[in-house]
Amino acid sequence: MESARDRYTREMVEGEDLWMLPQVDKYGYECGGCGIPVFPASYDQANLQRPHFKKQQNTPHKDGCNIDGDEKTVARGKKGSVRNELETSPDLSPSRLVLIDERPAVDPERKPSSEQTSTVRDTKRSDDEGLVRPKGRRAANSIRPICRAFIRFPFDRTMSLDVPGVEDKTYLQAFKKLGGKGVDLFSRARIFYAELAWAKPQEDGDFLVIPLSAGEWCDEKRWVKQYRVRVDRSKWSKHKRTKVSNELEVARLEGIDAKKTDSKLRPYVFFVAEQDSAEPEFFNISDHRLICAVVGTISYPDFKSGK
Ligand SMILES: [Zn+2]
């Protein structure tokens, strides 16, 4: 499983977020659909394998858990619209991005309590009714689940999406691919994306400069001008820095492997940013929740005719 619910804060946590924690609480997570315990795996910062969550083999998901159904929806979503399912699945296609204050320091001894609140907490618990499945689409706390939905559901990109700072309010319009025919000027912030270049990101003091496989190409040999994301990490903890570096490195290596094996998977970097006004090949960001690397295949069907 790519994500799970933090038992204490009640937030949905992405596997990659575990890279950021100084200590991972092995018993602190549960299935976002039914609440059975799930356990973090591959989360060590030195371990360049995508972190995820596993349930115990002999513990099935509870009746009514949407996790297995979600997988079927994802599979069908590649071939056609699954809008009805997405409208009622909390996690598959987030409706908005909500940046909440950085994860509060949580006392691990504290029991989950119904008084704890969170802006993204939609699941209601009731001792009488068991787990009430949330109706409707949930908010995401970082852009990663939103970018995954963009990749996974090409026929449903007209669904609404509210990302602070981005004027365009559908998946289709909010996302913008950076091309390879020169450096364009963009008048407003979008969720920009491009393939990650094979070259490693460069560390430059507090800055991390990530080269993208987009910009102005010359003689099919080299970039004359290459788009780059410049990440200001001056306010970041060591763990936050390692998390973002790991995420990029895992995607970069998976991307190189994919090319070698003729797979159609590509390593994409997504980021919400404004273009640098003086150096338009640069995009500046400083919030780690506004950048992510996702390996996938992006298709562009003619969504209106459903083809
Ligand atoms: Zn479950």
Side-chain angles (χ1 to χ4, degrees), residues 1-121:
M1 294 160 68
E2 288 153 347
S3 57
R5 187 184 307 285
D6 183 314
R7 290 176 57 211
Y8 304 102
T9 66
R10 314 302 303 151
E11 279 170 45
M12 288 303 287
V13 175
E14 298 276 301
E16 285 87 343
D17 294 336
L18 299 175
W19 269 329
M20 207 170 83
L21 303 177
Q23 248 181 338
V24 171
D25 177 0
K26 285 184 201 160
Y27 303 100
Y29 299 93
E30 62 186 35
C31 171
C34 69
I36 60 161
V38 296
F39 303 93
S42 315
Y43 54 81
D44 195 283
Q45 280 206 336
N47 185 354
L48 281 186
Q49 209 193 342
R50 215 168 270 285
H52 56 277
F53 299 91
K54 281 183 180 164
K55 70 175 182 62
Q56 264 170 341
Q57 244 174 2
N58 51 5
T59 311
H61 287 280
K62 289 184 187 161
D63 282 350
C65 177
N66 50 317
I67 290 292
D68 291 339
D70 282 0
E71 282 176 16
K72 287 178 192 149
T73 303
V74 168
R76 283 192 299 114
K78 285 181 203 154
K79 298 180 185 120
S81 174
V82 286
R83 186 171 187 127
N84 290 344
E85 286 92 324
L86 298 183
E87 294 283 8
T88 54
S89 304
D91 296 317
L92 286 180
S93 170
S95 58
R96 61 193 193 282
L97 174 67
V98 175
L99 296 177
I100 48 184
D101 289 342
E102 293 287 304
R103 187 171 304 281
V106 172
D107 173 4
E109 298 302 311
R110 192 168 48 134
K111 294 239 164 61
S113 109
S114 56
E115 284 96 64
Q116 281 178 259
T117 55
S118 149
T119 45
V120 290
R121 183 182 162 201

Side-chain angles (χ1 to χ4, degrees), residues 53 61 65 119 124 132 137 147 162 194 217 229 241 257 259:
F53 299 91
H61 287 280
C65 177
T119 45
K124 297 184 182 65
V132 179
R137 303 160 66 208
C147 299
D162 187 3
W217 191 243
V229 186
R241 291 180 185 215
D257 271 356
K259 223 34 183 268

Side-chain angles (χ1 to χ4, degrees), residues 12-304:
M12 288 303 287
V13 175
E14 298 276 301
E16 285 87 343
D17 294 336
L18 299 175
W19 269 329
M20 207 170 83
L21 303 177
Q23 248 181 338
V24 171
D25 177 0
K26 285 184 201 160
Y27 303 100
Y29 299 93
E30 62 186 35
C31 171
C34 69
I36 60 161
V38 296
F39 303 93
S42 315
Y43 54 81
D44 195 283
Q45 280 206 336
N47 185 354
L48 281 186
Q49 209 193 342
R50 215 168 270 285
H52 56 277
F53 299 91
K54 281 183 180 164
K55 70 175 182 62
Q56 264 170 341
Q57 244 174 2
N58 51 5
T59 311
H61 287 280
K62 289 184 187 161
D63 282 350
C65 177
N66 50 317
I67 290 292
D68 291 339
D70 282 0
E71 282 176 16
K72 287 178 192 149
T73 303
V74 168
R76 283 192 299 114
K78 285 181 203 154
K79 298 180 185 120
S81 174
V82 286
R83 186 171 187 127
N84 290 344
E85 286 92 324
L86 298 183
E87 294 283 8
T88 54
S89 304
D91 296 317
L92 286 180
S93 170
S95 58
R96 61 193 193 282
L97 174 67
V98 175
L99 296 177
I100 48 184
D101 289 342
E102 293 287 304
R103 187 171 304 281
V106 172
D107 173 4
E109 298 302 311
R110 192 168 48 134
K111 294 239 164 61
S113 109
S114 56
E115 284 96 64
Q116 281 178 259
T117 55
S118 149
T119 45
V120 290
R121 183 182 162 201
D122 295 326
T123 306
K124 297 184 182 65
R125 268 169 185 268
S126 143
D127 288 340
D128 298 331
E129 298 162 44
L131 196 72
V132 179
R133 187 173 165 185
K135 294 180 186 69
R137 303 160 66 208
R138 215 198 309 258
N141 305 138
S142 75
I143 63 167
R144 192 181 304 101
I146 293 172
C147 299
R148 267 210 302 263
F150 175 79
I151 295 175
R152 281 175 167 172
F153 305 110
F155 294 91
D156 293 299
R157 291 190 184 136
T158 54
M159 289 182 78
S160 65
L161 176 65
D162 187 3
V163 170
V166 177
E167 283 172 34
D168 306 83
K169 298 300 180 196
T170 64
Y171 275 79
L172 191 66
Q173 290 164 331
F175 281 81
K176 180 71 189 170
K177 186 178 185 179
L178 298 176
K181 291 185 178 166
V183 169
D184 294 319
L185 296 177
F186 300 98
S187 58
R188 58 189 193 277
R190 309 280 278 276
I191 307 172
F192 292 105
Y193 67 101
E195 276 188 42
L196 194 58
W198 282 25
K200 274 193 173 198
Q202 304 258 299
E203 305 247 353
D204 180 8
D206 281 337
F207 290 93
L208 182 71
V209 178
I210 306 160
L212 305 178
S213 192
E216 191 178 335
W217 191 243
C218 175
D219 303 334
E220 302 195 352
K221 275 189 195 145
R222 60 190 176 87
W223 294 103
V224 180
K225 275 187 182 168
Q226 187 174 19
Y227 285 118
R228 278 166 285 182
V229 186
R230 184 163 42 203
V231 187
D232 177 359
R233 307 174 298 173
S234 55
K235 296 198 178 83
W236 292 16
S237 65
K238 183 172 170 282
H239 280 277
K240 211 179 273 186
R241 291 180 185 215
T242 309
K243 177 216 173 240
V244 170
S245 297
N246 277 355
E247 190 175 338
L248 291 164
E249 187 61 3
V250 167
R252 195 179 74 87
L253 296 175
E254 284 178 5
I256 292 173
D257 271 356
K259 223 34 183 268
K260 283 183 191 156
T261 57
D262 249 356
S263 150
K264 285 185 178 153
L265 297 173
R266 293 289 174 267
Y268 287 99
V269 185
F270 293 85
F271 49 95
V272 179
E274 291 201 36
Q275 201 168 17
D276 192 283
S277 53
E279 298 175 289
E281 62 267 44
F282 282 95
F283 290 85
N284 302 315
I285 77 155
S286 59
D287 189 325
H288 70 102
R289 296 165 297 184
L290 298 182
I291 181 165
C292 69
V294 182
V295 177
T297 308
I298 303 184
S299 63
Y300 304 93
D302 178 353
F303 67 92
K304 278 178 196 141

